[in-house]
């Protein structure tokens, strides 16, 4: 009698867990509507409608948060708009879905260099080289970006040295 209530509770828990898992889609099946929105976003970006592309890509991610390619394209758009911090975050979202995505690692490395985090970009380069196993264009591009270094901002530009006695 003491075990009956525990057995019933365990049986109910198993039934509820199995029915909730049964209704979920596998991770490799991305919602078709999200893929259509991704393609429309790419087309809008190619046509020069960046704001429309961002809206479509964000909707694609909202429809199916497992759409890694939408995160990558959205990050590329953010990079092109001069928002490396946002691009880094979006690349990180893509890498959470697939840690070995060479495109996302390369893009994140570019954004990290633009933000001034060259050491972290070198870590990404090492991972890209490990994943490629042979020479790949992504590793070459990222290595060139790292060698070039972060962009110089106006605050970093050398200010004229004041001459004593002159104002």
């Amino acid at each position: 009698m003491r075990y009956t209530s525990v057995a019933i509770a365990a049986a109910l828990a198993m039934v509820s867990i199995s029915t909730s898992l049964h209704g979920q889609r596998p991770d490799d099946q991305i919602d078709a509507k999200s893929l259509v929105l991704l393609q429309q976003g790419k087309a809008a970006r190619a046509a020069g409608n960046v704001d429309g592309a961002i809206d479509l890509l964000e909707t694609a991610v909202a429809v199916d948060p497992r759409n890694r390619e939408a995160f990558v394209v959205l990050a590329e758009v953010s990079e092109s708009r001069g928002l490396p911090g946002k691009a880094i975050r979006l690349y990180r979202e893509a890498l959470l879905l697939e840690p070995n995505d060479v495109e996302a690692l390369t893009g994140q490395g570019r954004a990290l260099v633009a933000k001034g985090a060259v050491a972290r970009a070198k870590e990404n380069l090492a991972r890209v080289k490990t994943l490629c196993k042979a020479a790949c264009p992504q590793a070459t591009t990222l290595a060139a970006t790292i060698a070039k270094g972060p962009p110089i901002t106006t605050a970093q530009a050398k200010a004229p040295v004041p001459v004593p006695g002159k104002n």
Side-chain angles (χ1 to χ4, degrees), residues 106-122:
T106 304
Q108 187 183 47
R110 280 192 318 265
L112 286 167
V113 169
K115 198 73 170 156
V118 177
R120 286 187 52 204
K122 287 179 181 178

Side-chain angles (χ1 to χ4, degrees), residues 72-127:
V72 171
V73 175
L74 197 54
E76 290 170 353
V77 170
S78 295
E79 257 187 293
S80 69
R81 293 189 110 184
L83 302 170
K86 184 174 182 178
I88 291 167
R89 183 182 58 80
L90 290 165
Y91 283 124
R92 184 177 54 240
E93 291 293 330
L95 289 168
L96 287 172
L97 295 170
E98 174 55 54
N100 296 329
D101 185 348
V102 175
E103 292 296 326
L105 284 167
T106 304
Q108 187 183 47
R110 280 192 318 265
L112 286 167
V113 169
K115 198 73 170 156
V118 177
R120 286 187 52 204
K122 287 179 181 178
E123 292 172 12
N124 278 27
L125 177 60
R127 284 184 59 197

Side-chain angles (χ1 to χ4, degrees), residues 1 17-18 23 36 107 116 123 131 133 148-149 159-160:
M1 192 74 175
I17 290 172
S18 66
V36 169
E123 292 172 12
L131 292 170
K133 295 188 178 27
K148 185 179 174 184

